[in-house]
Amino acid sequence: MSRADVCLIVEGAYPYVLGGVASWTHQLLCGLPEIRFALVTILPDPSFARGDKYTVPPNVVSRSHVYLFGEPPAALPQEPPEKFMAGIAAMHATPAAARCPHVQQLAAQWREAGLASVSIQGSRGAWAFMTEQYERLGRQVSFLDYFWTWRATHGPMFRLFDAALPAADVYHSLSTGYAGMLAALGASNHGGGMLLTEHGIYTRERDIEIVQAEWIYTEAPEGSAFAPDDPFFKRWWREQYRFLAKIAYQAADQVVALNDVNRGHQVRAGAPEDKMAIVPNGVPVARYAPLRAERDWTGRPFRVALIGRVVPIKDVKSFIRAIHLARAEVAVEAFVLGPLDEDPDYALECTQLVDLLELHDAVTFTGSVDVKEWLPRMDLVALTSVSESQPLVILEANAAGLPSVCTDVGGCRELLEGRAGDDARLGPSGLVVPVASPDAVSDAIVGLARSPERYAALARAAVARVEHYYGEEVLFAGYRRLYRELVPATRAGGAT
């Protein structure tokens, strides 16, 4: 197979998940038809590769998967060379901020010795090293819990060393985490450039999941019935993801943020300022223009949509509670437009909350839909997420002439109130509310339902803002330039 222009690495998303980063990925692939992409999708195990949700375009010249868990390779453990284990020891002894070179050296030694991840999981040398690390901790936690956490945190990392990535001029990761580390290894192994784009801030999103995680064991101190505020194993997982982020930030030639807010988060997390660039999301404005109309809800309920996956990070429960509160003031109908199969337990809790609040006639879960078919029927889009970057659904709603209510996360305030200068002078295109505040969301919905004049002003600003600053041509031009700049000098005359 010939060398690809760009190896695009995604974690748990495209083409198996609808919306969010997956939608953005499809937009990028389709919008740059002259660039030959090799697509690599990182998944927990093969069961997650269950049916494409997108028609992958023909400029994707190869597809492959990397699995973090599942059956180990069919090989007996071999003893890793002493210098490799010495490198592992050095990596653990070195502060996280300086570990990236160690990982790249380990990758080179891995290839040299012909190792497989089963060697790190099952060899005597690996066992001896793990038990030494445990002794260093002073046996402050159960060894059994320590052992399984070691396996769960180290195993997926070393599986990345097993991955046979396609040769490419640029390795483009759409997050830090495992995708960022894999892109760093690919660029190192094949001599390509590395580009990192962060939509949400991966470490912050993992922090939210870790706080809520019930699968991470929390041991109460001796003599107490209560778990500590910062339990050992949750701290370990948080540090793991910070370590992976450091690897990606240091290895990347360029780090892309979607807005100034996220750029600040990335720099504080270790991304070098001189590597930073901003390329905002964009939408095909002309495609949404026919969806605009004068909304008039006289004689019918005010219609509000939450567009997104039914998962905890979208805080759909706060949306449902806000609708419950708003119904006491105005006639309102709510629609949750998005898949329910990514977290079935959470989706069930949301539908049970609808039952509990007796909202059967007011809240509809549609499942996966074509959003463009639903936007003309809506009056307002509400986003109650606890973490976002620069949500495409807000831009799509704006392009269709709909104002939004959105929590104050990521770049949402910038999207709705504008950046300093001409953008801000357009006026607000929506209302910003605090996170986890159903009262504030309800007040915003009720206020707009009762004030058609204010609603119309927000809608006009929404259209103007997206037309001036968020057309998809800005997105495509930005990535064409970045790819061209990152092609190694020896191949600078290539297809990109």
Side-chain angles (χ1 to χ4, degrees):
M1 183 179 64
S2 61
R3 190 180 185 96
D5 299 322
V6 177
C7 178
L8 191 67
I9 302 174
V10 298
E11 189 173 321
Y14 187 81
Y16 304 114
V17 175
L18 288 170
V21 176
S23 176
W24 183 94
T25 303
H26 190 68
Q27 180 185 24
L28 182 75
L29 294 173
C30 293
L32 301 176
E34 74 280 14
I35 293 178
R36 294 170 297 130
F37 288 92
L39 176 65
V40 177
T41 305
I42 300 175
L43 297 169
D45 61 58
S47 69
F48 284 80
R50 50 176 184 262
D52 291 357
K53 300 291 178 66
Y54 296 87
T55 301
V56 178
N59 57 324
V60 175
V61 296
S62 72
R63 289 176 58 178
S64 57
H65 301 87
V66 174
Y67 301 115
L68 299 177
F69 301 101
E71 291 300 314
L76 292 174
Q78 64 184 104
E79 287 302 316
E82 285 186 17
K83 68 176 181 179
F84 182 81
M85 292 311 300
I88 295 285
M91 186 177 75
H92 277 264
T94 305
R99 287 184 191 169
C100 183
H102 288 292
V103 171
Q104 291 170 332
Q105 289 162 15
L106 286 175
Q109 292 169 4
W110 187 278
R111 293 193 307 274
E112 238 176 77
L115 294 174
S117 58
V118 68
S119 298
I120 301 304
Q121 299 274 17
S123 68
R124 288 187 179 88
W127 172 265
F129 179 73
M130 181 185 64
T131 54
E132 286 168 14
Q133 293 291 307
Y134 178 71
E135 293 293 336
R136 279 184 57 247
L137 290 169
R139 303 187 181 189
Q140 60 181 280
V141 292
S142 153
F143 178 74
L144 186 61
D145 296 319
Y146 181 88
F147 169 79
W148 286 112
T149 304
W150 176 282
R151 299 265 297 190
T153 52
H154 286 66
M157 280 200 306
F158 288 115
R159 281 203 169 215
L160 300 181
F161 286 176
D162 288 339
L165 288 184
D169 290 338
V170 177
Y171 290 82
H172 184 183
S173 170
L174 300 190
S175 67
T176 60
Y178 299 111
M181 179 172 171
L182 189 58
L185 294 175
S188 175
N189 292 345
H190 293 286
M194 180 182 163
L195 177 64
L196 169 63
T197 298
E198 283 200 271
H199 293 263
I201 303 301
Y202 189 94
T203 50
R204 290 165 64 87
E205 293 180 357
R206 298 295 79 74
D207 280 351
I208 293 168
E209 291 176 1
I210 289 165
V211 166
Q212 297 172 339
E214 296 180 358
W215 54 268
I216 300 176
Y217 180 66
T218 302
E219 185 174 27
E222 188 175 346
S224 171
F226 300 99
D229 292 334
D230 191 21
F232 175 85
F233 293 109
K234 290 194 174 186
R235 193 163 64 246
W236 185 343
W237 277 103
R238 283 198 299 273
E239 288 306 312
Q240 170 80 358
Y241 290 122
R242 282 168 174 70
F243 167 48
L244 292 172
K246 296 284 189 182
I247 290 172
Y249 289 144
Q250 290 185 32
D253 297 293
Q254 195 90 54
V255 179
V256 178
L258 273 59
N259 50 62
D260 284 322
V261 172
N262 278 13
R263 179 186 180 280
H265 289 316
Q266 289 166 297
V267 170
R268 287 189 292 276
E273 286 200 65
D274 60 354
K275 292 183 179 181
M276 297 301 301
I278 293 179
V279 180
N281 282 337
V283 292
V285 176
R287 200 180 304 165
Y288 287 88
L291 308 183
R292 300 170 195 165
E294 291 292 329
R295 264 77 180 185
D296 183 0
W297 49 93
T298 305
R300 64 164 175 83
F302 190 68
R303 296 177 184 144
V304 186
L306 183 150
I307 304 172
R309 301 166 294 136
V310 182
V311 293
I313 206 164
K314 300 296 182 182
D315 195 9
V316 181
K317 293 178 184 178
S318 281
F319 176 71
I320 294 168
R321 293 186 179 101
I323 297 302
H324 175 64
L325 295 171
R327 280 189 88 207
E329 305 290 334
V330 295
V332 62
E333 272 187 299
F335 299 84
V336 180
L337 311 178
L340 292 91
D341 57 355
E342 285 195 41
D343 190 333
D345 291 339
Y346 183 76
L348 177 61
E349 291 171 11
C350 290
T351 56
Q352 289 173 335
L353 181 60
V354 169
D355 291 339
L356 180 67
L357 297 177
E358 299 182 349
L359 294 174
H360 319 88
D361 59 339
V363 178
T364 301
F365 292 87
T366 66
S368 299
V369 294
D370 182 347
V371 171
K372 290 192 294 296
E373 292 180 2
W374 283 79
L375 286 175
R377 299 162 55 184
M378 298 297 111
D379 300 308
L380 183 70
V381 168
L383 206 61
T384 50
S385 304
V386 297
S387 178
E388 288 284 354
S389 179
Q390 193 182 67
L392 276 169
V393 296
I394 297 299
L395 294 176
E396 291 167 346
N398 288 173
L402 289 176
S404 304
V405 172
C406 192
T407 44
D408 194 4
V409 292
C412 294
R413 182 176 292 276
E414 183 180 283
L415 275 186
L416 298 186
E417 297 180 357
R419 289 165 287 187
D422 291 341
D423 187 2
R425 282 190 281 275
L426 292 173
S429 50
L431 304 176
V432 181
V433 296
V435 172
S437 181
D439 288 356
V441 178
S442 172
D443 289 346
I445 292 170
V446 171
L448 291 177
R450 286 176 171 170
S451 178
E453 297 80 10
R454 188 183 186 199
Y455 176 96
L458 295 179
R460 285 193 297 272
V463 171
R465 177 160 290 119
V466 77
E467 285 185 340
H468 280 86
Y469 300 106
Y470 294 102
E472 66 178 359
E473 62 278 358
V474 176
L475 170 74
F476 298 148
Y479 280 96
R480 279 193 181 97
R481 176 182 57 79
L482 287 167
Y483 289 153
R484 185 171 59 249
E485 290 174 356
L486 292 178
V487 172
T490 54
R491 287 183 293 277
T496 55

